[in-house]
Amino acid sequence: MNIHKITRYLLMLCTFTFLTLTAKGQDGEPLRLAVAGVSHGHLWEVISRLDRGDFKIVGVAEKDDYLREHNGLRDKLDPNLFYADLGEMLDKTHPEAVIVYEPIYDHLRVVEACAPRGIHVMVEKPLAVNNEHATRMASLAREKNILLLTNYETTWYNTNHEAFRLIDSGAIGKIDRINVYDGHQGPFEINCGKEFTDWLTDPVLNGGGAVIDFGCYGANLATRLMKDEKPLSVYAVLRQNKPNLYPKVDDDATIIVEYPSATVQIMGSWCWPMGRKDMHIYGDKGYIYQDTPKEMRIYTNGKEHQEIAPSLNAPYNDSFYFLKAAVRKEIDVPPTDLSSLENNLMVVRILDAAIQSAKSKAVIQLF
């Protein structure tokens, strides 16, 4: 074997070793992970990563008898790992963390079960259905010293983090307006499963319609972008453009969040003609258009140019890598992080105010 082949072999071996350590963590042990609920359409996030090696599913709790027997995890895990009772599952399987794929209303119930047992929790967005639930969850998490994280698809977008870096560097000057666009044609229109839409379109179990489902993304990103500034007020218009399909909840939400130095307009909808999760950020020296997870347009010095955002490094590129690193104390989760409890308490406060505003047709003062 010549020197070039040896060099290539060593490089491949080093790359494989690095990727393996990245996936499994420094100690090489997969995270002991349990799943609470299987009705959420994002359950595929677990299924698609099962063989990766960074976590091991030690238990699944689902109170609905039919769903417990019929779900995407059932054929991939030992049937003995499935439980009807959450508490029993936690006590018998001893997970390090629980990921939640239940109705948003049940996030509180899961935290009430996990926190006293010292088990960390990551919920799918948003944190809670309302301020009352969010406050109770935060109190439990802080009292019992557990992580309570919230997962958003957009947290792992390269372009969002490149936008943060550019703004921090002063590339577009002082931010004065942010427009956030999120949504799709509608959960029925894109063929979400019945187990998901049964609660996604319920005003109690989901907390609302599009305002909760997609308004949360903009509130999450705005809270990060505005840093230490607190929103002064919220005004919202919630519409039912398709009452025949969504008679109980809004399907289109426009939320105006006023900050001391900027206006944020959040447009979350089940009425877009296409799926979208993009954002326009305007400063006094330029703008950033986050078009896709990888593509962005930046306007500075009188010219616009396109850019492919650099890839994020593990564990900041994937919710499960991030969860494991945080649980194992390999990284800290600062209050400014998109997944943090502090950020997501503000998200729920904004959404709660938006719902109040739409009902009262008035501006809701926050601070």
Side-chain angles (χ1 to χ4, degrees), residues 106-118:
D106 286 326
H107 287 182
L108 172 58
R109 180 179 64 85
V110 175
V111 173
E112 286 176 333
C114 291
R117 294 172 168 87

Side-chain angles (χ1 to χ4, degrees), residues 252-265:
D252 186 82
T254 302
I255 307 169
I256 307 296
V257 188
E258 286 291 345
Y259 288 83
S261 65
T263 297
V264 176
Q265 185 172 4

Side-chain angles (χ1 to χ4, degrees), residues 78-294:
D78 185 335
N80 292 322
L81 297 182
F82 290 80
Y83 295 80
D85 183 77
L86 175 62
E88 180 186 5
M89 184 270 284
L90 296 175
D91 290 337
K92 287 187 176 179
T93 65
H94 306 290
E96 295 173 79
V98 168
I99 45 177
V100 187
Y101 293 94
E102 297 200 352
I104 312 302
Y105 187 88
D106 286 326
H107 287 182
L108 172 58
R109 180 179 64 85
V110 175
V111 173
E112 286 176 333
C114 291
R117 294 172 168 87
I119 299 169
H120 305 288
V121 178
M122 182 171 73
V123 302
E124 286 298 294
K125 56 81 187 172
L127 173 66
V129 291
N130 55 42
N131 275 330
E132 182 182 354
H133 276 215
T135 301
R136 171 64 175 156
M137 291 163 67
S139 177
L140 283 167
R142 288 164 175 162
E143 177 187 347
K144 301 302 181 181
N145 196 31
I146 67 162
L147 289 167
L148 178 50
L149 305 174
T150 304
N151 180 40
Y152 297 77
E153 177 187 333
T154 47
T155 297
W156 322 107
Y157 281 14
N158 301 338
T159 43
N160 283 338
H161 292 273
E162 180 63 5
F164 301 156
R165 187 192 69 79
L166 288 167
I167 290 164
D168 289 343
S169 73
I172 64 169
K174 185 182 77 67
I175 296 174
D176 51 33
R177 176 173 289 277
I178 303 168
N179 295 342
V180 192
Y181 308 84
D182 288 291
H184 49 49
Q185 299 93 324
F188 291 139
E189 290 87 339
I190 66 169
N191 299 315
C192 291
K194 185 177 184 300
E195 71 282 358
F196 188 22
T197 58
D198 277 353
W199 63 260
L200 186 64
T201 61
D202 185 290
V204 174
L205 296 179
N206 195 51
V211 64
I212 296 291
D213 191 29
F214 284 115
C216 61
Y217 287 100
N220 176 240
L221 290 164
T223 299
R224 165 62 179 82
L225 285 162
M226 299 309 296
K227 297 182 180 177
D228 295 329
E229 279 197 34
K230 294 180 179 179
L232 299 175
S233 64
V234 173
Y235 178 74
V237 175
L238 307 185
R239 297 178 57 86
Q240 282 185 304
N241 292 332
K242 297 179 280 191
N244 57 317
L245 289 176
Y246 307 107
K248 297 180 180 179
V249 293
D250 63 282
D251 53 41
D252 186 82
T254 302
I255 307 169
I256 307 296
V257 188
E258 286 291 345
Y259 288 83
S261 65
T263 297
V264 176
Q265 185 172 4
I266 299 167
M267 289 154 279
S269 182
W270 292 343
C271 300
W272 295 113
M274 74 299 195
R276 67 185 305 182
K277 289 188 177 75
D278 52 309
M279 175 169 58
H280 296 171
I281 308 166
Y282 298 91
D284 58 6
K285 295 180 181 178
Y287 62 70
I288 299 170
Y289 288 176
Q290 175 267 46
D291 293 322
T292 73
K294 296 181 179 180

